[in-house]
Amino acid sequence: MYAEYEISRYRSAELLRQAEHERLVRETLRRRRAARREAAACIAEGDTSQALDPEGEAHTGRPRRHRFLRPA
C-alpha cells in the first residue's frame, strides 16, 4: 500500500523536475534568439559596437592551428 504511494510521489517529483528543466531550456533559447535578433538589428543599423560584446567573443588570441607541421 505504501509502496504505491511512494512510487506516485517519486513519479510526481520527477515530472516536476523535468517540467522545470524544460522551462529553463525554453527560456534560455528564447533569450539567445532575442540576443541574436538584437545583434542583427545593431549590425543592420551600422552600429557594431553594441553587436560585438567583448564578453561574448570566443576569440582567445591564440592561433587555431599549429604554425608548423609536427613530426609524428
Side-chain angles (χ1 to χ4, degrees), residues 22-57:
E22 289 173 2
R23 271 193 297 273
L24 288 173
V25 168
R26 281 194 306 269
E27 182 180 340
T28 301
L29 291 175
R30 191 176 305 125
R31 286 183 180 179
R32 284 182 185 173
R33 274 188 237 116
R36 258 186 265 141
R37 279 194 301 268
E38 184 179 330
C42 287
I43 290 174
E45 292 174 0
D47 183 18
T48 58
S49 63
Q50 291 181 358
L52 301 176
D53 185 19
E55 293 178 4
E57 285 192 31

